Amino acid sequence: MYEERGSRRVAGAVVWRREAPARPRRARVLPDGCMDLIRTGGGLLVAGPDTRAQLTDDLPGAGYVGLRFPPGTGPRVLGVPAYELRDARVPLEALWPEREVRELAERMAERMAGARSGAAVLEEVSAVRLRRAPDDPLTAAVAAGLRAGVSVAEVARGVGLSERQLHRRSLAAFGYGPKTLARVLRFRRALRLVRGGVPPASAAAGAGYADQAHLSREVRALAGVQLSVLLSEGRPPEG
């Protein structure tokens, strides 16, 4: 079971909850340009920005609660450049003081014991940390441009940077360069279209690919399987 909602405290973020199925299975988590702060049975975990699909083993009865930050927001909350967490899953205590992580885990446990979602605690803590971190309007503008399918060169001109400067800023904000982020966001656009019933050829054109073969190559590179296999697996868990 998977469910999500927009965050009420962190702009652009998504609160999600997932329960593993009754039988063990290997789940495929697809790249989306985001970073997640997750409560698992083993503690608090940070999922960095992915460049490829991650395979994870779901244990029966396992439950997860997470806060997914939009591209560029995670580093401001976590206090580290995004590239340091690229394709990684690390315990939160590797980034924050142990006492702070322990108190956060205890607060979440108290909320969940009272039949309330511990995700609200993740939102509260993240909102506080964001107020302390300087905002960078350039990051939001870059992410919005790439999400809309604008070329990297045009995005760079729009924010007043050279492509080299944009690449350097993007590594810290998103975990990888703007071309990789654009690839990931285009892949997600195409996947949304296909899952919505749009034929692959039309989805490829609508998402900005040269043709269906181009989409197929990108799906294989980013998801690790062919599009038909990916669709047969059903909607993968997020986070």
Side-chain angles (χ1 to χ4, degrees):
M1 183 194 72
Y2 173 82
E3 57 185 27
E4 65 178 36
R5 65 166 173 81
S7 172
R8 303 184 182 97
R9 302 290 299 274
V10 180
V14 172
V15 173
W16 58 269
R17 184 170 68 91
R18 181 163 69 88
E19 293 182 6
R23 295 181 180 180
R25 73 161 184 171
R26 175 155 287 187
R28 187 184 309 275
V29 181
L30 301 176
D32 57 8
C34 300
M35 300 172 67
D36 293 69
L37 181 53
I38 308 168
R39 183 187 188 274
T40 72
L44 289 160
L45 182 73
V46 174
D50 293 328
T51 59
R52 59 187 182 277
Q54 299 282 342
L55 296 177
T56 180
D57 291 320
D58 268 343
L59 300 178
Y64 309 88
V65 174
L67 181 61
R68 183 180 312 117
F69 303 109
T73 299
R76 295 175 55 212
V77 174
L78 300 169
V80 296
Y83 64 79
E84 293 188 9
L85 301 172
R86 182 172 54 232
D87 291 319
R89 305 292 185 267
V90 300
L92 184 58
E93 56 262 32
L95 307 178
W96 293 0
E98 183 178 347
R99 178 179 177 181
E100 189 173 345
V101 175
R102 185 173 62 252
E103 291 175 348
L104 175 57
E106 290 172 353
R107 287 175 59 192
M108 290 193 70
E110 290 173 1
R111 292 285 186 95
M112 298 179 82
R116 300 168 64 188
S117 173
V121 178
L122 296 181
E123 291 182 274
E124 293 164 6
V125 169
S126 298
V128 169
R129 294 180 72 92
L130 282 171
R131 286 197 293 270
R132 298 172 182 167
D135 191 9
D136 184 3
L138 181 145
T139 298
V142 171
L146 296 175
R147 185 178 290 109
V150 179
S151 71
V152 171
E154 289 180 89
V155 168
R157 285 195 296 270
V159 297
L161 297 177
S162 69
E163 290 191 46
R164 179 174 295 183
Q165 290 171 322
L166 177 60
H167 183 83
R168 185 170 59 250
R169 296 280 288 269
S170 295
L171 288 177
F174 310 123
Y176 26 66
K179 291 184 179 179
T180 299
L181 179 59
R183 284 183 65 200
V184 169
L185 296 177
R186 182 175 57 184
F187 162 70
R188 300 297 296 207
R189 285 199 304 274
L191 199 54
R192 282 194 297 271
L193 290 172
V194 173
R195 286 183 176 147
V198 177
S202 299
Y209 290 99
D211 50 30
Q212 185 175 341
H214 186 195
L215 168 61
S216 297
R217 290 193 299 272
E218 285 291 88
V219 170
R220 181 79 183 188
L222 295 171
V225 293
Q226 296 177 353
L227 179 59
S228 58
V229 175
L230 184 61
L231 296 176
S232 71
E233 292 178 344
R235 182 181 176 117
E238 304 287 348

